[in-house]
Amino acid sequence: MDNILQSLAAIVGEQYVSNRQEELYLYARDQGTMDPHPPDYVVLPGTVEEVREIVLLAGREGIPLVPMGGGLVLSGLTIPLRGGIVLDMKRMNKIIEVNPVSRYAVVEAGVAQGQLQSYLERHHPRLRHSIPDAPPMATVGGNVAIHGSGHLSQAYGFHSDMVNGLEVVLPSGEICHTGSCSASPYWFARSPLPDLTGLFLGWFGTTGIITKVALKLYPKKKMKDVLMFVTENPDYVPDVIYRVTETEMAEDVLVLSAPKPDWMAGFQITSVALTADSQLEMDFKRKMMRQALAGYIDDREGGFMFLAPNLKKNFLETPQRSVARYADVNKGGGFEYVGAIMPVEKFPQAYRSGVEIAGKCGTTYSFIVRIIGRAHCMMFAFAYPFNRADKEDVQRAQKALHETNAAVLDMGGIPWKAEVPAQRMIIEKMDPSARQLIGRVKAMLDPRGIMNPGNWEV
Ligand SMILES: Cc1cc2nc3c(=O)[nH]c(=O)nc-3n(C[C@H](O)[C@H](O)[C@H](O)COP(=O)(O)OP(=O)(O)OC[C@H]3O[C@@H](n4cnc5c(N)ncnc54)[C@H](O)[C@@H]3O)c2cc1C
């Protein structure tokens, strides 16, 4: 054990490696319901060469290796289930290049979402990237590794769809580039090559360590507004979404529903973010949105809600800090959700099923739905906050999560960034040839099975 510690120290320097109990304690757990398990070492590499040396060492010694960004995934995917090394990527936080004409940024995988956001605001105020509502320390690498989504996803899809290419350290220690940068100095697209990038997106670090990401950037409009459309019947929501997305004018479309605060209880609130470069453009977009939903207003089945300025301010924020505040509504720092990726028409069924499960399990809940693509699918988050110090509360949340995962799969949805028990449920449901292909790809890339073991095991 001492040899490994010394070898790691020789690679990154003594101050960036630890096997001290107080640090292992922190890296053993996250905010979700998965049981903790400590790593044997924590290491913070500063360069791709250091990552490569660590990967080679882990491979030689057969030590599990778990990459970690912000550690905010909530579903236990950075908990080292079999011990070994946690590779904390936060020191790899350089913004390498912004191409303002072809609109992409090349960043190291440990760059935080908030860091990239403020860098662009300062140096390229007409450009932005799609930001998740996660706390700003979530990393770009960690987010694309789980197919995240954010405030531009309604227009442009999952964050993994916005990746032009990657630099990855393979479990063999080779440094590999995917996308145009594998054959060009420019990181402009994944096409027209065979798409190797997909071998590392959605795999939870089981196929390699992402060290650089080329991310698409988008024009940034000068003003932002948000409209809130309220209905009381979940059966209307798929049509509301259809009408809103049909205008192709909304930027981010969320549907919120929760029993608390009182003003939200019993309603489905569709929040539509609009952006514009002039008041004229904004007025036009607002008018189009009102026109799209006028039928509901005429029939007295729905209406736009007035938002007091202090409340509106919350909904205009990117990321929305109210989401993080809600995560701790029970106090005690526990929060996890089933983020089900599903067809939009499943909203009413998912809504009713979530209310029923929360009632049965006696948990607090909220539903936050993000429309992805022009209503091509949605991420339906069934969120259950809990108090980590209260065992019974944790068990209630665990039960609710388990039942929700099962209900989602029954409805034809797929749990996103699924915790290990839910991964097993997905794998069981999977077409056997797809399951075997996953096994073959993993065995080819990681024959010793050291990369984030326990995850996506077929
Ligand atoms: C309040 C709140 C709101 C949230 N809202 C959103 C949201 O709107 N959209 C959204 O997408 N998510 C959201 N999340 C979920 C999550 O926090 C984010 O997806 C976050 O971006 C994950 O990034 P991370 O750096 O914390 O990843 P981590 O938790 O560190 O890692 C996630 C996974 O990726 C792997 N990984 C990490 N880095 C690498 C790497 N360099 N190479 C290979 N694999 C790697 C890890 O092993 C793990 O399997 C939210 C979370 C909270 C707490």
Side-chain angles (χ1 to χ4, degrees), residues 39-120:
D40 298 300
Y41 315 94
V42 178
V43 60
L44 286 97
T47 63
V48 62
E49 287 74 25
E50 289 179 6
V51 173
R52 176 184 136 79
E53 291 297 314
I54 297 163
V55 169
L56 287 172
L57 172 72
R60 265 195 317 272
E61 303 288 340
I63 304 173
L65 196 55
V66 179
M68 174 182 156
L72 283 164
V73 72
L74 306 172
S75 46
L77 304 182
T78 57
I79 296 178
L81 303 175
R82 313 224 168 113
I85 302 171
V86 169
L87 192 77
D88 183 334
M89 296 296 289
K90 288 187 204 67
R91 279 182 68 220
M92 294 195 57
N93 62 357
K94 287 191 201 68
I95 294 168
I96 294 161
E97 180 195 348
V98 170
N99 183 325
V101 180
S102 291
R103 294 198 183 106
Y104 65 79
V106 182
V107 303
E108 287 187 330
V111 163
Q113 297 287 345
Q115 181 191 351
L116 181 56
Q117 183 182 10
S118 64
Y119 180 89
L120 292 173

Side-chain angles (χ1 to χ4, degrees), residues 119-134:
Y119 180 89
L120 292 173
E121 273 165 14
R122 220 170 320 131
H123 301 287
H124 300 276
R126 295 292 286 158
L127 291 173
R128 61 201 170 145
H129 76 296
S130 179
I131 296 160
D133 281 317

Side-chain angles (χ1 to χ4, degrees), residues 202-448:
W203 290 81
F204 307 162
T206 58
T207 49
I209 313 286
I210 301 168
T211 46
K212 285 193 192 109
V213 182
L215 210 53
K216 286 189 199 316
L217 303 175
Y218 299 92
K220 185 169 178 183
K221 300 265 186 184
K222 289 181 186 144
M223 358 174 134
K224 185 171 177 187
D225 197 6
V226 66
L227 301 179
M228 303 292 243
F229 188 74
V230 184
T231 48
E232 246 182 314
N233 181 347
D235 292 325
Y236 294 152
V237 172
D239 183 60
V240 168
I241 299 303
Y242 189 86
R243 292 178 190 218
V244 166
T245 52
E246 200 177 26
T247 64
E248 297 202 305
M249 289 195 178
E251 187 167 285
D252 190 16
V253 181
L254 304 171
V255 186
L256 313 168
S257 189
K260 288 269 173 216
D262 291 343
W263 61 267
M264 284 183 74
F267 297 115
Q268 301 87 43
I269 302 173
T270 303
S271 133
V272 181
L274 301 174
T275 53
D277 273 329
S278 66
Q279 197 55 51
L280 193 68
E281 187 186 353
M282 183 62 86
D283 291 345
F284 178 69
K285 286 184 171 174
R286 289 170 64 102
K287 195 169 152 201
M288 291 296 287
M289 218 48 78
R290 286 176 186 279
Q291 214 163 297
L293 297 169
Y296 283 94
I297 299 171
D298 293 345
D299 295 344
R300 298 178 176 274
E301 293 289 356
F304 285 95
M305 190 174 125
F306 169 75
L307 274 180
N310 60 338
L311 195 57
K312 190 170 209 169
K313 198 175 77 220
N314 291 343
F315 290 104
L316 288 171
E317 276 183 346
T318 316
Q320 283 193 23
R321 272 178 296 180
S322 53
V323 180
R325 273 198 297 274
Y326 171 76
D328 200 29
V329 73
N330 278 15
K331 298 298 165 204
F335 182 56
E336 190 170 341
Y337 57 90
V338 172
I341 309 297
M342 326 174 78
V344 174
E345 64 266 29
K346 290 288 172 187
F347 182 93
Q349 204 183 343
Y351 178 92
R352 293 192 174 101
S353 169
V355 172
E356 191 188 314
I357 291 169
K360 201 165 88 189
C361 299
T363 50
T364 317
Y365 72 91
S366 76
F367 305 142
I368 305 171
V369 177
R370 172 162 264 134
I371 303 304
I372 297 174
R374 300 277 193 224
H376 293 117
C377 64
M378 63 178 170
M379 192 282 293
F380 193 120
F382 305 78
Y384 304 112
F386 58 92
N387 180 351
R388 285 202 282 185
D390 178 346
K391 251 195 176 153
E392 280 173 17
D393 206 19
V394 178
Q395 278 164 1
R396 277 196 290 274
Q398 256 163 349
K399 187 161 184 284
L401 290 163
H402 175 75
E403 296 210 2
T404 308
N405 279 318
V408 163
L409 284 163
D410 276 352
M411 281 181 258
I414 301 177
W416 162 57
K417 66 182 177 64
E419 61 272 29
V420 168
Q423 288 172 33
R424 292 198 187 117
M425 291 160 85
I426 298 170
I427 287 165
E428 246 169 57
K429 248 205 127 185
M430 206 176 251
D431 161 3
S433 52
R435 189 190 310 156
Q436 282 159 20
L437 185 57
I438 287 180
R440 289 208 297 272
V441 168
K442 278 186 62 174
M444 187 244 320
L445 286 171
D446 178 25
R448 296 202 66 180

